[in-house]
Amino acid sequence: MSAAALRLGVNVDHVATLRNARGGLVPDPVRAALLAIESGADGITAHLREDRRHIRDEDMARLKRELSRPEIGKPLNFEMAATAEMLGIALATKPHAVCVVPERRTEVTTEGGLDVVGQQVALAPFVARLNDAGIRVSLFIAADPQQIETAARLKAPVIEIHVGAWCDAVIEGRTAQAGEEWHRIVTGATLAQSLGLEVHAGHGLDYATAETIAALPQIVELNIGHFMMGEAIFVGLAESVRTMRAAMDRGRSRIGYSA
Ligand code: PXP
């Protein structure tokens, strides 16, 4: 059986972080999105946080408009918390996809997966509204069997596995913990696929971890931001996206996929 293609979603949040540091109009996350697409990204991800600390409402609207232009035609993945305000914005924006993430005002980044087991009563109508609107819903969760089974019961078509703990363990050389986290990811991805879920992964990936995880055939999309934006300072955004794409293609080729 040949492996499916592995898509790269480039998260442009931190272009907006840099812009907002001065409060002006540059650097523009929409310009970054278009350059990322030109350089090999399959789609763009942006997180509209409740506090608007990076992406703002008008960025999301412009991203949707620009990516929908016929000559570009790439998907927008709208990351958001499960709030009534965000649901309203998503339904008005009509992105290709929504990824529901947990959000706490005091966190530096999305720190853990969404607790879909604990929040299933609130999430059920939320997922249903997005499904009914034809927006592909993804739930950002840990590779935990109960969370995965609940996501499937809620009829979310996609889960994104939070791989941050594994990435941190690999990068910091904590080998035993990296091994345990990897086992959880493989087991979780296998379970999710067997339940009919499409499986994505994200958070904390760099070139090396993206290459490794690309060899998991169950995973069909990686969403990556912070590392690539950091690399862009040294090599430029186009080069950092191309290098990431090449790392993912090398990993995927180990399981027989050729781009
Ligand atoms: N996927 C999700 C759901 C996220 O919340 C984030 C961080 O915004 C990412 C992927 C990208 O993570 P990173 O910026 O660490 O690559």
Side-chain angles (χ1 to χ4, degrees), residues 11 13-14 45 47 54 77 79 99-101 109-110 140 160 201-205 223-228:
N11 180 314
D13 290 352
H14 296 305
T45 294
H47 182 178
H54 37 56
N77 178 29
E79 273 185 31
C99 180
V100 186
V101 302
T109 179
T110 313
F140 187 46
E160 181 167 327
H203 214 281
L205 290 162
N223 286 301
I224 311 177
H226 183 264
F227 174 80
M228 260 189 301

Side-chain angles (χ1 to χ4, degrees), residues 49-155:
R49 292 187 68 103
E50 186 193 6
D51 61 11
R52 310 305 199 264
R53 73 172 66 154
H54 37 56
I55 294 293
R56 298 176 179 148
D57 301 54
E58 61 273 23
D59 295 327
M60 214 42 116
R62 286 176 57 230
L63 281 168
K64 162 73 187 177
R65 209 166 48 239
E66 291 296 315
L67 295 173
S68 305
R69 275 175 28 212
E71 67 276 26
I72 298 176
K74 291 291 183 191
L76 171 63
N77 178 29
F78 184 146
E79 273 185 31
M80 62 187 218
T83 64
E85 183 204 11
M86 286 301 152
L87 181 62
I89 297 173
L91 292 172
T93 308
K94 297 191 180 63
H96 170 75
V98 155
C99 180
V100 186
V101 302
E103 211 176 280
R104 283 192 298 275
R105 272 169 196 262
T106 50
E107 70 191 358
V108 174
T109 179
T110 313
E111 283 168 1
L114 190 66
D115 178 12
V116 295
V117 175
Q119 293 173 35
Q120 54 187 301
V121 173
L123 284 170
F126 200 86
V127 171
R129 287 287 300 278
L130 291 165
N131 278 340
D132 289 349
I135 298 171
R136 189 197 69 189
V137 190
S138 159
L139 301 176
F140 187 46
I141 58 176
D144 170 88
Q146 271 193 300
Q147 300 289 348
I148 293 166
E149 282 159 7
T150 307
R153 262 203 312 281
L154 290 175
K155 298 197 166 38

Side-chain angles (χ1 to χ4, degrees), residues 6-11 14 109 140 160-171 182 185 199-216 219-231 240 243-244 247-248:
L6 179 62
R7 298 188 299 266
L8 169 60
V10 172
N11 180 314
H14 296 305
T109 179
F140 187 46
E160 181 167 327
I161 297 181
H162 191 310
V163 295
W166 171 66
C167 292
D168 289 349
V170 171
I171 290 161
W182 179 250
I185 292 168
V199 189
H200 302 173
H203 214 281
L205 290 162
D206 64 4
Y207 298 139
T209 46
E211 181 171 343
T212 303
I213 208 164
L216 283 189
I219 294 179
V220 298
E221 181 173 310
L222 300 180
N223 286 301
I224 311 177
H226 183 264
F227 174 80
M228 260 189 301
M229 295 308 156
E231 276 293 288
S240 91
T243 306
M244 183 59 79
M248 288 165 53

Side-chain angles (χ1 to χ4, degrees), residues 184-209:
R184 255 195 283 280
I185 292 168
V186 175
T187 310
T190 306
L191 170 66
Q193 192 185 47
S194 76
L195 295 171
L197 290 160
E198 181 173 312
V199 189
H200 302 173
H203 214 281
L205 290 162
D206 64 4
Y207 298 139
T209 46

